[in-house]
Amino acid sequence: MRRVPTLRLIAGLVAVLTATAACSASGEADRSTPWGSEANRYFQALSDAYLDNDFYGVLDFYAVSAHVEKWRGAVRGGLPVSDLLRWNSGDLGQELETVYLGGDGALSLVLWPRVGDQGAVVSTMDGGRISREIVFELAASLDRSLRASPDVITMYEGLYDAYAEAWSVADSGYRNRIYSASAKVSDALLGVEASGRHEIVALPSRATWTPILSTAHSGDDGSAEGPSIYLGPRDYAQDPQRAVGIYEVTDSAGCAQLVGVHWTLDDGLIVDEHRYREPESFRRCTDGLLPDGWWTGLDLPPPSDRVVTGTLVTPEGRRLVIHNGTQRLETFLRYGLGRFAVADLEEPILDTVTFEPSRSCDQRSGRVLDDGSARELFLCIYESDLCPVSTECATPTLSARLALLHELGHVWILEHVGSDTQQQLLDLTGRESWDSLDVPWTDRGAEYAAEVFAWGLLEETVPLVRFGAPPCEELVEAFSMLTGASPLRDPADCPGK
């Protein structure tokens, strides 16, 4: 079958056309913005954040609970995006090439500049942010790097060509051979939904689907490498079972557009298929009204630490605005507030609580801001920090509980501990400064006091190793000095007693 020019060249032409259309529309009313250009702007801004290695800038585009599935490893359901970026923050480079629109999200073609390989990313959108992402790698790259067996590569490249032939000819027998009996096909932009092989076979086929060559990259140069089919994440040494193919589709009037297809397969047959269309060529080839969808009026996301995810009512009836929260994180916060009630202490007074991701957490474990009108607590804790990696736990980790009670201690101290008590604590511990940034963190009285709060409110006894493991008698006296109450343990419980 004849192949058209490489996908890199086609994507470059599309980018020029899209930029030209966007420029011609500048200064006009929002309704005159070229259809689909909001999505191009959105994913270009995400690409820029990746290329800038901007950790928080990238996270702004993702929902708090977003998961990402990548080729490496066998992680069912993927990893939380925050974990993925934290563990790979040294190389976030991802250059956008083309965006395709689908019913519930986008299919993007990207280039990873460091290795020179192309990838395809299927992003599910929810409320203006990415809620799920699946990353596919070019089959030819996987073959070259020996990360997929030649038999697997051959099977998917065969499917890629067979699919183009099946939708380019009138003979329904071709489609019978590539779809399962219960397969589903969705082309949301054209309003096509088909369930079952019999419905799929009956769909009209009035276009020519042409496979495209993708490119290998070395610096700024590119050369044809292999068919534009990308394989999805899989368990180690197993058939990926998911793939993305990119085609040029020419209709009966001779108008060509780019179409991306996302397949889920079982035993080599397609069981689920979603089609995505490149906006510029879709505008050019489609008569009548263009459909609205998640891309309509899509804005660039505001900083993620401004995203309100809920309101929590504290045990004493105060209302806290929560940013970047999840159900588990809110339950965790309730636990921390509840420990004050167990100790017969008033709860910390707060207006907002923000969890990671937050720019206020850069190189910090937590932060309290009080400008006189509002008191904000930033907890530099992700949901995944509550349990060891890849496990479920009934009780949050000790490190997470210590961090939470330490920061809540800071908030409580702001309201209840005056200068006289501060000086008494400094005298008790031999420190000279309460909160000067000119002295080491462990030499500040405010940090020692917050750590004493965490020690006194925990369910179990732990040595304060960050502060030289002071004796329990000192900690009991410090806790009582700060609060007028006893810690939730006896000095005899301390290690070594």
Side-chain angles (χ1 to χ4, degrees), residues 221-396:
D221 299 325
S223 59
E225 178 172 23
S228 294
I229 183 164
Y230 305 79
L231 306 188
R234 88 294 189 223
D235 290 335
Y236 180 72
Q238 298 298 312
D239 187 338
Q241 297 295 304
R242 289 178 292 184
V244 162
I246 306 297
Y247 298 91
E248 184 183 61
V249 180
T250 305
D251 63 22
S252 57
C255 189
Q257 61 177 290
L258 292 174
V259 178
V261 188
H262 174 205
W263 299 296
T264 301
L265 300 105
D266 185 18
D267 197 24
L269 295 177
I270 300 169
V271 296
D272 194 38
E273 172 183 315
H274 293 269
R275 298 179 185 177
Y276 299 77
R277 295 180 179 267
E278 187 280 317
E280 170 64 21
S281 58
F282 186 73
R283 287 198 303 267
R284 190 176 63 250
C285 295
T286 304
D287 295 329
L289 296 176
L290 295 164
D292 288 332
W294 57 267
W295 54 84
T296 305
L298 180 67
D299 293 323
L300 296 182
S304 54
D305 46 14
R306 298 180 190 171
V307 178
V308 176
T309 54
T311 301
L312 181 148
V313 179
T314 72
E316 294 183 9
R318 295 185 179 89
R319 299 178 68 84
L320 290 180
V321 175
I322 306 297
H323 295 172
N324 289 341
T326 66
Q327 184 175 354
R328 289 186 65 198
L329 286 171
E330 290 190 17
T331 298
F332 179 57
L333 178 58
R334 290 181 189 277
Y335 151 80
L337 295 171
R339 297 304 294 171
F340 286 81
V342 173
D344 291 326
L345 297 175
E346 294 182 19
E347 68 185 20
I349 298 177
L350 284 165
D351 296 292
T352 66
V353 175
T354 300
F355 293 95
E356 275 270 42
S358 169
R359 288 162 177 80
S360 289
C361 285
D362 189 23
Q363 299 184 3
R364 294 184 177 93
S365 59
R367 189 180 188 187
V368 180
L369 294 180
D370 189 341
D371 63 3
S373 61
R375 186 174 292 163
E376 302 175 88
L377 172 60
F378 295 88
L379 291 171
C380 303
I381 297 172
Y382 294 97
E383 182 174 298
S384 57
D385 295 329
L386 303 186
C387 289
V389 176
S390 301
T391 65
E392 295 290 335
C393 58
T395 303

Side-chain angles (χ1 to χ4, degrees), residues 220 226 300 411 443 467 483 493:
D220 294 329
L300 296 182
V411 178
D443 290 341
F467 291 84
T483 66
D493 296 331

Side-chain angles (χ1 to χ4, degrees), residues 149-269:
S149 72
D151 289 345
V152 169
I153 300 298
T154 299
M155 189 276 284
Y156 279 98
E157 290 184 347
L159 171 67
Y160 180 62
D161 285 334
Y163 182 91
E165 188 169 8
W167 287 100
S168 298
V169 299
D171 185 352
S172 62
Y174 285 89
R175 274 174 265 172
N176 269 315
R177 289 193 287 270
I178 63 174
Y179 288 96
S180 72
S182 59
K184 296 181 180 179
V185 170
S186 172
D187 190 335
L189 270 64
L190 293 184
V192 173
E193 295 284 344
S195 296
R197 185 190 291 145
H198 62 290
E199 288 190 12
I200 296 170
V201 168
L203 291 173
S205 177
R206 304 190 185 96
T208 300
W209 292 64
T210 306
I212 299 171
L213 283 176
S214 191
T215 53
H217 296 271
S218 176
D220 294 329
D221 299 325
S223 59
E225 178 172 23
S228 294
I229 183 164
Y230 305 79
L231 306 188
R234 88 294 189 223
D235 290 335
Y236 180 72
Q238 298 298 312
D239 187 338
Q241 297 295 304
R242 289 178 292 184
V244 162
I246 306 297
Y247 298 91
E248 184 183 61
V249 180
T250 305
D251 63 22
S252 57
C255 189
Q257 61 177 290
L258 292 174
V259 178
V261 188
H262 174 205
W263 299 296
T264 301
L265 300 105
D266 185 18
D267 197 24
L269 295 177

Side-chain angles (χ1 to χ4, degrees), residues 340 348 350 365-368 375 377 403-417 434-435 441 444-451 453-454:
F340 286 81
L350 284 165
S365 59
R367 189 180 188 187
V368 180
R375 186 174 292 163
L377 172 60
L404 171 63
L405 294 174
H406 178 103
E407 298 305 331
L408 289 175
H410 274 307
V411 178
W412 195 94
I413 289 167
L414 284 176
E415 193 74 24
H416 298 282
V417 176
W434 180 252
D435 58 6
W441 185 83
R444 300 171 198 166
E447 300 301 339
Y448 174 87
E451 198 80 342
F453 254 96

Side-chain angles (χ1 to χ4, degrees), residues 426 432-447:
L426 293 176
E432 297 182 357
S433 172
W434 180 252
D435 58 6
S436 173
L437 299 180
D438 295 328
V439 301
W441 185 83
T442 56
D443 290 341
R444 300 171 198 166
E447 300 301 339

